[in-house]
Amino acid sequence: MSDSITLSEWQPDRNLGLELVRATEAAAIRATPFVGRGDKNAADGAAVDAMRRFLASVSMNGFVVIGEGEKDEAPWLYNGEKVGNGTGAECDVAVDPIDGTRLSAEGRPGALSVIAVADRGSMYDPSAVFYMDKIVCGPEGVDVVDIRKPIGENIRALARAKGVDVSDIRVAVLDRPRHAQLIQDIREAGAGTQLIMDGDVAGGVNAARFDSRIDMCVGIGGTPEGIITACAVKTLGGLIQGRLMPRDDEEKQRAIDAGHDLDAVLDQNTLVKSDNTYFVATGITDADFLAGVKRHGEFVRAESIVLRSYSGTVRHIVSDMREDR
């Protein structure tokens, strides 16, 4: 009989999100001096180092499922690395020290530092196929929106469910050549678009939030980002659906060999089986729902969000920290 415990059984787990936020704050603050300096690797390296150091103090037995790559390519926060101080619950951990490294390097809005956590063994393995086609929306889209339907049909259905005109619907899409037809179809349906340069985690979270101007986020993006977004969606009560999109025949065969059904629709409960998830993010540069790191005299201010699905809690945290401490 295993002695391992789950997140819901571990009594102090209600504080885990508040421990995790210290790691995203540290990563965001360490990345800030590199914002706008054009060197995304330097920014990412600083953020990775800070996040790893703070994760070492968190009360959990964490296993990095989504990290900076395999061990040979990434010396820190690599896939398979154990994180936490070795006490508490066994859990899957997904990290993105900078979601939007190019945004950070170019000084553009929308860069975040992100961690997602769920019970051990509950996160979908994204290693076989890097990209997936995704659709994300808020609670009104549950049992209404379906990724298998044309985008125009989904927009009209969501507008009816929200009780608004189609022209009031705004859809976030990564600004990529592969999305040219999708963007045209959205506009021809009568909805507006918000084109995002990078960072489809932020786009997905915005689409699921009740207080966002974004109603839907669609298009092909990273599979790891879809899993991280699912952890947030499970708190917000929204919907995420995805279908794996192999880049070539080799990746397609690798997915088939791994037992993946390329026609299957993966929802939030497939991407993350656990009902006790955490999503923690700190702004690096200003985003729609988080301000970026700012300096005020001797203090540094970081703004974060902590989502926990088990309690349905959304916490907004503003921290002012003495830079010399």
Side-chain angles (χ1 to χ4, degrees), residues 33-315:
F34 300 95
V35 169
R37 291 174 56 183
D39 189 345
K40 64 181 184 180
N41 291 329
D44 195 51
V48 169
D49 178 60
M51 179 175 283
R52 184 174 183 264
R53 289 175 185 271
F54 274 81
L55 279 177
S57 69
V58 175
S59 299
M60 66 178 181
N61 278 293
F63 183 87
V64 177
V65 175
I66 297 170
E68 294 291 287
E70 298 299 331
K71 184 175 182 179
D72 291 340
E73 297 293 331
W76 297 325
L77 295 181
Y78 55 85
N79 298 347
E81 183 176 354
K82 292 182 179 180
V83 293
N85 66 9
T87 67
E90 294 192 359
C91 39
D92 286 347
V93 180
V95 299
D96 199 345
I98 303 182
D99 176 48
T101 51
R102 184 166 58 147
L103 299 176
S104 177
E106 296 182 4
R108 296 177 183 268
L112 307 173
S113 181
V114 179
I115 297 173
V117 171
D119 282 308
R120 182 75 186 101
S122 64
M123 285 187 183
Y124 186 83
D125 180 3
S127 59
V129 181
F130 185 76
Y131 284 108
M132 68 190 309
D133 189 18
K134 292 175 276 193
I135 188 166
V136 188
C137 58
E140 299 89 350
V142 175
D143 297 326
V144 171
V145 167
D146 190 325
I147 195 171
R148 293 165 291 197
K149 297 178 181 178
I151 187 61
E153 187 174 337
N154 278 323
I155 288 170
R156 290 186 290 273
L158 184 60
R160 286 194 298 270
K162 299 186 82 164
V164 300
D165 191 81
V166 168
S167 63
D168 292 324
I169 297 293
R170 185 173 296 175
V171 183
V173 190
L174 280 170
D175 190 5
R176 299 286 189 274
R178 63 178 179 263
H179 290 150
Q181 185 62 53
L182 176 61
I183 292 167
Q184 181 179 332
D185 291 344
I186 292 167
R187 293 170 175 169
E188 288 181 353
T193 57
Q194 178 164 318
L195 302 184
I196 52 180
M197 182 177 176
D198 282 304
D200 58 339
V201 170
V205 173
N206 265 327
R209 287 170 51 229
F210 67 89
D211 56 349
S212 170
R213 184 61 187 89
I214 301 300
D215 301 284
M216 186 185 294
C217 183
V218 299
I220 298 171
T223 303
E225 287 81 359
I227 297 164
I228 292 171
T229 302
C231 287
V233 167
K234 293 186 83 125
T235 298
L236 297 168
L239 168 79
I240 179 170
Q241 292 179 339
R243 291 183 295 191
L244 297 176
M245 300 290 291
R247 290 170 287 186
D248 50 38
D249 289 340
E250 181 181 346
E251 193 172 67
K252 181 178 180 179
Q253 189 59 52
R254 189 163 65 244
I256 293 171
D257 292 343
H260 294 296
D261 181 356
L262 298 180
D263 295 320
V265 174
L266 311 174
D267 65 8
Q268 59 263 34
N269 295 316
T270 309
L271 294 171
V272 186
K273 295 177 183 177
S274 172
D275 289 323
N276 195 9
T277 65
Y278 292 88
F279 173 93
V280 180
T282 300
I284 298 173
T285 58
D286 289 342
D288 286 347
F289 61 98
L290 286 174
V293 174
K294 303 287 192 306
R295 282 180 168 77
H296 301 282
E298 296 181 349
F299 287 85
V300 177
R301 172 170 292 181
E303 189 170 315
S304 306
I305 190 169
V306 178
L307 309 179
R308 185 188 179 195
S309 65
Y310 184 77
S311 58
T313 306
V314 179
R315 286 187 171 90

